[in-house]
Amino acid sequence: MAIYNAPKPWQGRNDGDDANVQRWHQAIELINLDQPINQPISQSTKIAFIGFCSDEGVLRNQGRVGAKDGPVAIRKACSSFPVHFEKLELFDAGDVVCDDGDLEAAQSLLGEKIQQLISRKYTPIVLGGGHEVAYGNFNGIKQKLSAKSNFGVINIDAHFDLRQVDEKVGVTSGTGFWQMASHCKENKIGYHYLAIGIQDCSNTKLLFDTARNIGALYIKAEEFTNDQLEHILDLLNHVLEESDTVQLSIDMDAFTAANAPGVSAPAFNGMPPNSMFRRLLRHIVFSGKVASIDIAELNPLYDVDNRTARLAASFVFDMVQALERG
C-alpha cells in the first residue's frame, strides 16, 4: 500500500537568525497532512512542498530507476537558498511513498494530499519521483474542474508521455498526459496540452499522431531558440488564455545532458536552461492560473556534482519568487 510520511525539519547553512541572513531551512514550516491543517486561510501566498517518492512508473516504462530519491536531493539543494520573500510562506507537507509497486494507489493518495492543500489555498510544488507524479498531481487538481471548464497543462519534457495504458503493464511514467486527456474527454472538460522540449528521436510516429489527434501543441527542443521566442510565447499565451486552471509539469530530461545528467530517461540532447527559459517559466507562473506544479525524473544515482538537483532547485527558487510577485 502507499504510505504518507510526515515532514522532517530541513537543514542547511546557518548565518544567524536575523531576517536579512535567513535561509529557506530556517523559514520553512512543517504541516502533517494526516492531521487537520490549522493554518488559517490568509491573503499571503502559501507554497507547500510535497514529495512523491516513486519510480515504479519508470520501471514499468523500461527506464532506469532511482528517481524515488529525487525529493530528498531537491530539498537538500533548496535548503540553503537565501530568503528574499516577504509576503510568502513556505511549508513542507511530507512525502507520499510508493513502496510496494502499487503505483495507482500512490497516485490516488498523492491526489488526496494535493486536494487538501489546494482547498486550503496552498500552491503545491510536488517533488518527484518519476513522471508518473504528473497524473498523481492531476488527481488533486481535477477536483477543481467541472463540465465545460477548461484545463491546461504545460509539460516541459523531451517526451510526449501520451502512451495509452496497457492492460498488462498498467499506468507508467509515459501515460500521464493521455490519462488526463481521457479524463477530460469523459467529463466534458476542455483539455489544452502544450509540450515544450519534444525530441524526434525520443518519440515514435504514433506519439506524434496521438498528439495531433488530441489537439496538442508542441515545441521541439531544436526550435527552442531566440528567433522562435514570439512563436513560443504565442503558444504559451494561447494555452494560458484558454484555460481556467493550469498544471505545470517539468521533466528534467528536457534539458541538455551537460546541465542535467541525472535523469531517468536521458534523451540525446535538450534545451538549454538559459535566461530565456527562466523568463518563460516565470511568465507561466505570473499568469496566476497555475494550481499546482510538479518536477519529475531527477535521478540522483546518475547525477554528476549534483548538477541536476541544483538545476531543479534553481527552477523551484525562480517559481517561488514568481509566485510571490504574481
Side-chain angles (χ1 to χ4, degrees), residues 105-281:
Q107 289 175 318
S108 178
L109 181 58
L110 178 62
E112 292 175 17
K113 301 307 181 184
I114 296 297
Q115 197 276 330
Q116 280 180 260
L117 292 168
I118 291 175
S119 68
R120 296 293 295 181
K121 307 300 182 184
Y122 293 80
T123 299
I125 297 181
V126 193
L127 310 176
H131 213 171
E132 61 265 32
V133 66
Y135 191 71
N137 194 7
F138 176 75
N139 277 338
I141 298 170
K142 70 184 183 184
Q143 307 304 320
K144 289 171 57 71
L145 308 176
S146 58
K148 298 185 179 180
S149 64
N150 285 281
F151 171 69
V153 59
I154 299 169
N155 178 30
I156 314 297
D157 199 344
H159 309 89
F160 280 116
D161 289 348
L162 285 171
R163 296 177 183 272
Q164 297 186 33
V165 179
D166 184 292
E167 291 184 4
K168 294 181 180 179
V169 177
V171 303
T172 73
S173 60
T175 61
F177 300 97
W178 170 260
Q179 293 172 266
M180 293 180 200
S182 299
H183 175 87
C184 289
K185 183 178 181 180
E186 290 169 8
N187 292 275
K188 297 180 172 58
I189 298 166
Y191 184 61
H192 305 279
Y193 176 40
L194 171 62
I196 302 175
I198 294 298
Q199 297 193 38
D200 284 336
C201 60
S202 300
N203 296 274
T204 63
K205 183 178 182 298
L206 175 60
L207 290 171
F208 277 97
D209 290 342
T210 302
R212 283 188 284 270
N213 289 339
I214 68 168
L217 303 173
Y218 59 89
I219 298 163
K220 295 182 180 181
E222 65 194 49
E223 298 170 333
F224 195 81
T225 54
N226 287 327
D227 63 315
Q228 292 296 313
L229 179 58
E230 184 175 350
H231 172 62
I232 296 169
L233 276 172
D234 284 344
L235 294 184
L236 264 180
N237 288 333
H238 173 77
V239 171
L240 293 172
E241 289 166 5
E242 292 294 318
S243 305
D244 307 306
T245 302
V246 172
Q247 176 178 346
L248 173 58
S249 188
I250 303 173
D251 188 322
M252 296 305 296
D253 70 24
F255 304 99
T256 54
N259 294 106
V263 295
S264 299
F268 167 73
N269 203 346
M271 299 187 300
N274 55 17
S275 58
M276 174 178 155
F277 174 77
R278 292 175 182 278
R279 287 197 300 271
L280 290 171
L281 192 63

Side-chain angles (χ1 to χ4, degrees), residues 47 75 114 220 278 282 320:
I47 297 171
R75 285 186 175 102
I114 296 297
K220 295 182 180 181
R278 292 175 182 278
R282 291 191 291 270
V320 165

Side-chain angles (χ1 to χ4, degrees), residues 3-181:
I3 296 172
Y4 170 73
N5 289 333
K8 298 177 181 179
W10 289 27
Q11 297 180 335
R13 173 172 175 158
N14 192 327
D15 293 330
D17 295 323
D18 292 343
N20 61 352
V21 295
Q22 281 203 341
R23 308 275 176 170
W24 277 21
H25 71 91
Q26 294 168 281
I28 200 158
E29 299 179 55
L30 308 182
I31 46 175
N32 185 339
L33 296 179
D34 278 345
Q35 301 172 358
I37 299 176
N38 295 320
Q39 289 288 334
I41 296 178
S42 65
Q43 296 301 312
S44 63
T45 300
K46 297 189 296 184
I47 297 171
F49 299 112
I50 181 167
F52 188 62
C53 303
S54 168
D55 51 21
E56 174 63 23
V58 174
L59 178 64
R60 296 182 187 183
N61 202 30
Q62 303 178 47
R64 53 187 190 180
V65 297
K68 62 182 176 60
D69 296 319
V72 171
I74 298 175
R75 285 186 175 102
K76 184 176 180 180
C78 286
S79 63
S80 292
F81 280 146
V83 173
H84 288 306
F85 46 82
E86 297 178 357
K87 301 176 182 178
L88 180 147
E89 299 174 80
L90 284 183
F91 298 84
D92 192 309
D95 294 310
V96 170
V97 181
C98 180
D99 68 340
D100 62 354
D102 192 347
L103 174 57
E104 293 81 356
Q107 289 175 318
S108 178
L109 181 58
L110 178 62
E112 292 175 17
K113 301 307 181 184
I114 296 297
Q115 197 276 330
Q116 280 180 260
L117 292 168
I118 291 175
S119 68
R120 296 293 295 181
K121 307 300 182 184
Y122 293 80
T123 299
I125 297 181
V126 193
L127 310 176
H131 213 171
E132 61 265 32
V133 66
Y135 191 71
N137 194 7
F138 176 75
N139 277 338
I141 298 170
K142 70 184 183 184
Q143 307 304 320
K144 289 171 57 71
L145 308 176
S146 58
K148 298 185 179 180
S149 64
N150 285 281
F151 171 69
V153 59
I154 299 169
N155 178 30
I156 314 297
D157 199 344
H159 309 89
F160 280 116
D161 289 348
L162 285 171
R163 296 177 183 272
Q164 297 186 33
V165 179
D166 184 292
E167 291 184 4
K168 294 181 180 179
V169 177
V171 303
T172 73
S173 60
T175 61
F177 300 97
W178 170 260
Q179 293 172 266
M180 293 180 200

